[in-house]
Each structure stands twice: as C-alpha cells, then as structure tokens.
Amino acid sequence: MRPKKMEDKELIINLMSVLRKKGYEGSSLNQLADAAQLNKASLYHRFPGGKKEIADAALEFTYDWVKDHVYKLLIQRSIAPKERLNSVLKAIGEDLYKNGRDMCILRALSMDNSHEGLFGNKIKSSMSTWIDAFTVLGMDFGLSEKEATEKAVQVLVQIQGGLVVSEGLGSLEPFENVIQSLKNMY
C-alpha cells in the first residue's frame, strides 16, 4: 500500500521550516526532500524549478496567508478596530510565528542578497500588504494616513525584531512581549 500523499499546505509548511532555519543558500535539496518526506526525484517532480520554485511557493503561501489572515480582517470595518487588532495579533503570534518559535520566511529569504532579484518583489509585496492593512486599522483608530502608515511600519519592525531577539536569546519572551505591547499601541 502506498503512503498517503502529503497535502499541499502541509508540504509547503514543512519546506518552509527548512527555509526559515537555513535561508535559501543554506538549504540543501536533501534537507528540503527530507522535510517534504520525499526523495529528491519526487521533490523535483513536484517542483521542477528546484529550490527557487520551492522558495517561490513558500513566498506565495506567505503572501496568501497575510492577505487572508491580516489584510482581509484588518480592513473589515464592520468589526471594531480593537477587536480586529487583537484577532490579527493572535493569528500572527500563534499561527504564523508559533509564539516566536518560527522565524519569518520573508526575513530568511531576504538575507541572501544574491537572490534579491529572485525574491525581492514577492517579499516587498507581502510586507506592503501587511503595512496597507495596518494603515487602514490605524486610520480607523483615528490616526491620519501618514501617522497610520508610520505606525503600520513600526508594527512590522517590532514583530520582526521580537522574532530576531527571541531567536538570539533562545527565549520566546521577547516576541511574546512585543505581541502584548502591540495590543496597546493604538
């Protein structure tokens, strides 16, 4: 009997775990195949473009997640701004970054400067979608568009910084503290 085929979402999440830890350059096809529970030939069958196609799929998955779990919720003006903020921060903290245990795929793939041309636009698009959503939220809290955009950038910077510090210290507390402090940012 053949083993059950891994679902696409689970496959991408497993591949992302390697890319998050190792970056693009540091990830080998063997490590990616192991994470996917596939042999290299099957991984190439699934991703004929190799590691670049895998990274592109991870970035597309991340963009879709940000669009679905951050952007769409933060622009829903039928929900009170504070409730939107708390729901999004919970999703970001718990689902996207596993309370600080998972590094950001955008950060991991942006560290390889030689691949800026390969991934730069997709990374920028995800970050811009994030900032646009938090800008709408800030305006709903009564900030001017300029103030709301500045605050939206700060949200992204603080979350990314919290992830880096948590990783560096080997403690989830800095990231958890950032998520808590952002609840009172507006």
Side-chain angles (χ1 to χ4, degrees):
M1 176 180 229
R2 292 182 72 185
K4 182 180 177 278
K5 183 178 171 184
M6 186 180 291
E7 296 294 323
D8 287 344
K9 179 180 175 181
E10 182 183 0
L11 175 66
I12 293 297
I13 289 170
N14 289 348
L15 292 168
M16 284 174 60
S17 71
V18 174
L19 293 170
R20 281 179 161 141
K21 291 175 187 158
K22 306 279 185 177
Y24 183 79
E25 289 296 333
S27 299
S28 72
L29 285 172
N30 284 334
Q31 292 166 330
L32 291 163
D34 287 346
Q37 300 172 15
L38 297 170
N39 61 41
K40 280 188 359 183
S42 295
L43 185 64
Y44 267 117
H45 179 74
R46 205 77 185 258
F47 297 96
K51 194 162 54 165
K52 183 186 181 306
E53 187 175 345
I54 291 167
D56 281 336
L59 288 170
E60 189 68 31
F61 178 87
T62 301
Y63 174 79
D64 289 343
W65 192 96
V66 169
K67 187 177 67 177
D68 291 343
H69 297 90
V70 176
Y71 185 81
K72 286 182 180 178
L73 180 58
L74 288 182
I75 66 167
Q76 269 193 22
R77 291 193 157 125
S78 62
I79 301 170
K82 190 70 168 175
E83 186 178 337
R84 284 183 271 160
L85 175 63
N86 289 335
S87 293
V88 164
L89 289 175
K90 183 176 188 220
I92 290 168
E94 293 177 10
D95 300 334
L96 186 59
Y97 298 124
K98 305 294 183 266
N99 296 317
R101 285 186 287 283
D102 283 352
M103 289 304 300
C104 180
I105 191 73
L106 303 176
R107 175 188 169 266
L109 293 178
S110 68
M111 290 175 29
D112 297 317
N113 291 334
S114 62
H115 296 286
E116 186 176 295
L118 293 176
F119 308 123
N121 288 336
K122 287 185 178 190
I123 291 168
K124 184 177 181 178
S125 181
S126 287
M127 289 184 177
S128 294
T129 299
W130 179 298
I131 291 166
D132 291 347
F134 274 96
T135 297
V136 169
L137 180 72
M139 292 169 61
D140 289 349
F141 271 108
L143 300 175
S144 70
E145 184 175 356
K146 182 178 188 262
E147 292 169 324
T149 301
E150 289 170 358
K151 198 162 286 259
V153 170
Q154 279 303 312
V155 168
L156 184 58
V157 168
Q158 287 183 28
I159 288 174
Q160 294 302 315
L163 288 168
V164 170
V165 173
S166 283
E167 177 73 17
L169 294 177
S171 168
L172 302 179
E173 191 173 343
F175 177 74
E176 292 167 352
N177 289 342
V178 164
I179 294 295
Q180 285 298 60
S181 72
L182 290 174
K183 291 179 180 179
N184 300 315
M185 188 171 186
Y186 292 92

